[in-house]
Amino acid sequence: MESHLIDLGVQCAEYTYHSVTRNTSIRRRGSGPPTRPTPKRRDIMTQRFGSLESLSNGQPRKKHSVGLLRRTGGALAVGAMLSPLVACNAAPDEEEQFTLSLADWIPPSHVFSVDGAEHFMESVEERSDGAITFGHYPAEQLGAAAELPGLLESGATDITSIGPAYLPSDYPLTSVSNLPGLGGESCHVSAAIMELLSPGGSLYEREFEPKGLRPLFVTISTRYEVFTRNEQVRVPNDLQGLQLRSGGGAQDRAVRELGAAPVAMTASEMYEAIQRGTVDGTAVNAISVLPYNLQEVVDYGTIGAPMGNFTAIYTMRNDAFEELPEDLQEIVLESAAEANQNVCEAIERENEEANEILLEEGTELYELTHDELAEWLERVEPAVSQWVEDLDGADILEEYEAALEAHE
């Protein structure tokens, strides 16, 4: 037993040494918040919508190292991979410090990252006085969008962004927030869907809690539009016969109802697919056109097409959350609620700015008339009905619509 305790003491001392020498942002509570790099502030095009190359070449911030110690059941164990949740006591009477890993597939210049994930991490670190720090791995550095939820469940990361449209078999009901013709602006939709995603909510109980996951906050786009390379789209018949990139799930149904053929792919694949002519265009919102440089390969876009929203849910493993002391749990939840509001306001603001930039860059945008919008809504309504039938989702749709009404 004495030898075992000595070994643990040596391990903890080694952890403290490597934390100080290789990660100066981990420190004791009460010593002030760690210094974290802030996003480079450039003009609006490069700050929010940097070049395509810059989205994949960023290095992960060195907020924790490979193979640090990880607390498991009150003991210390050496992590075999990136250590997701790190905690070590230098002495029994000193409070713990935790390093959480946050991995997502979103470009670091995207509003989802800058005003969502980054804002959340900075708020947690400041509120916790450095007791919680983060390692951030954006832009698919740890895996593609469809792979990250599996890494989260396996414990390879603590927090990730889940896009239900990319995982329709795993999160079928959560895609209710992506249905065409429903919802409105980002803040409206995010407030409504968080009611269903929070503990006690129907989506939490049916699709997240059984997987050991806890949604923290959502990043929800403004309504999706249709952007095309050679064909201008004004009414649904203009889409007849086109190949249109779709985010998957309910959006695939909407594209079919509009007469186009959906081609499922992630956002990072859009540029090359349009450039090569694999697809004629894409369903996406304006703020996601610019981070992927799609203005270089599309000629036309719509304003007001009811193509649904895109939802990305920043989600934490429940066991990682429960390992935090109660005061730090409260800080995580407060920061998540703050990020939820901050990012939706930024999304709405930057969508308008993105449209202005697209016009300046030469993309022709067409705003639907009232009669044209009514025609679009009539054409996409069967997609909603089919979603309800396929998933037996009438109760979820009813709850979601009630939440939308409550948050108008």
Side-chain angles (χ1 to χ4, degrees), residues 203-274:
L203 291 177
Y204 173 78
E205 292 180 345
R206 293 168 70 168
E207 295 193 340
F208 287 84
E209 187 178 29
K211 299 179 178 72
L213 304 179
R214 182 189 187 105
L216 296 176
F217 64 96
V218 295
T219 52
I220 296 183
S221 71
T222 51
R223 290 187 184 94
Y224 267 39
E225 305 289 349
V226 175
F227 288 87
T228 51
R229 184 163 194 175
N230 297 314
E231 303 289 335
Q232 186 174 41
V233 172
R234 298 185 179 186
V235 295
N237 284 343
D238 294 334
L239 286 164
Q240 192 69 38
L242 297 185
Q243 299 278 327
L244 199 66
R245 176 264 176 184
S246 170
Q251 195 172 88
D252 284 356
R253 297 186 181 95
V255 170
R256 290 192 191 95
E257 295 295 339
L258 291 166
V263 180
M265 65 181 68
T266 62
S268 61
E269 300 172 295
M270 292 186 293
Y271 185 98
E272 186 175 353
I274 297 172

Side-chain angles (χ1 to χ4, degrees), residues 176-178 182-195 218 220-221 223 309-311 340 344 348 400 403-404 407:
V176 67
S177 59
N178 299 337
L182 298 178
E185 296 303 320
S186 179
C187 288
H188 180 208
V189 176
S190 64
I193 198 65
M194 276 306 298
E195 280 197 16
V218 295
I220 296 183
S221 71
R223 290 187 184 94
N309 302 72
F310 181 84
T311 304
N340 201 71
C344 76
E348 293 179 7
Y400 179 56
L404 286 170
H407 289 280

Side-chain angles (χ1 to χ4, degrees), residues 280-348:
D280 300 294
T282 181
V284 74
N285 54 47
I287 60 172
S288 292
V289 169
L290 295 167
Y292 296 100
N293 278 356
L294 298 184
Q295 74 276 12
E296 297 178 359
V297 292
V298 300
D299 302 310
Y300 306 100
T302 60
I303 297 178
M307 295 296 293
N309 302 72
F310 181 84
T311 304
I313 305 161
Y314 278 88
T315 304
M316 187 173 185
R317 294 190 347 265
N318 258 326
D319 60 349
F321 180 80
E322 293 297 335
E323 192 169 345
L324 297 173
E326 288 186 7
D327 62 328
L328 296 184
Q329 290 179 8
E330 188 63 28
I331 284 172
V332 168
L333 296 179
E334 289 173 354
S335 297
E338 180 183 292
N340 201 71
Q341 185 65 27
N342 185 74
V343 70
C344 76
E345 292 176 356
I347 288 167
E348 293 179 7

Side-chain angles (χ1 to χ4, degrees), residues 371-384:
D371 289 343
E372 288 167 344
L373 175 59
E375 185 177 349
W376 282 72
L377 288 170
E378 183 179 357
R379 289 284 292 272
V380 300
E381 194 282 330
V384 178

